[in-house]
Amino acid sequence: VSWDDPGCTGTPEARTPHIDRLAAQGRRFDAAFLTASSCSPSRSSIITGRYPHNNGVEGFYQVRNTYPVMSDLMKSAGYYTGIRHKVSHSTPYSPYPGWDVVLDTQPDGSQLDQKNPASYYVSAKRGMAEAKRAGKPFCLNLNISDPHKPFYGEDGRMEVNKPSRVFTADEVPVPGFLFDDPAVRKELALYYSSVRRADDSLGQILRALRESGEEDRTLIFFLS
């Protein structure tokens, strides 16, 4: 998701109520920039504190190394660590000691739908519950799939995961770096609907956190 798509960063349309509420209750990092324009190297910088040319992750691969990453440090500090989605992309070196739990499946082992907002409630709820059973605080890395392609309704697909708001081509703003064309507007409508579905997923995670009773002492980072 682009930095200027949420309402809290200046987009006038009410596209992201949960992101906006989170921003209003916390702090925005308006001067934070990625170290790389590709997802794996930038993600590895976030969780290692090192530039891609220093941590070795300069593409879609892992490296053999022994430097500590966020989950290593949190585990050594006594936290229960869990991850949902993007597991290999958030595991920068190999062999990697691993997370305490991977939250990509239901408790019965069936695969969760990465585009289903309610499934993020299931993952967050499970991760917090397992940490509680282990007698530890939790550190959960919950990677929301949207608005990664395929977008909502792309290529006329039948969708079961409908966003709480679906945008139409005639109501979307066209960024200045694109030309105003019906095909562009159609693609943007699918994109902005997927941004809204990402916001729905965040709302489900925050609902699980509220229900856990740990909201007031939990630090939340929303990154893209």
Side-chain angles (χ1 to χ4, degrees), residues 141-156:
N141 183 357
L142 302 171
N143 295 291
I144 298 171
S145 178
D146 280 310
H148 198 292
K149 274 182 167 283
F151 297 148
Y152 168 75
E154 191 172 350
D155 299 327

Side-chain angles (χ1 to χ4, degrees), residues 71 74-75 79-83 98-102 137-140:
S71 53
M74 298 303 285
K75 285 182 76 169
Y79 283 77
Y80 187 86
T81 61
I83 187 170
W99 306 81
D100 289 315
V101 63
V102 174
F138 55 81
C139 175
L140 303 181

Side-chain angles (χ1 to χ4, degrees), residues 102-113 122 126:
V102 174
L103 300 166
D104 285 347
T105 59
Q106 296 270 15
D108 64 3
S110 59
Q111 197 72 21
L112 288 169
D113 184 347
V122 173
R126 178 186 164 199

Side-chain angles (χ1 to χ4, degrees), residues 184-202:
V184 171
R185 285 186 166 273
K186 181 180 178 182
E187 180 85 354
L188 284 171
L190 300 178
Y191 170 73
Y192 290 133
S193 297
S194 301
V195 171
R196 181 55 172 256
R197 191 166 58 184
D199 189 77
D200 294 339
S201 298
L202 174 62

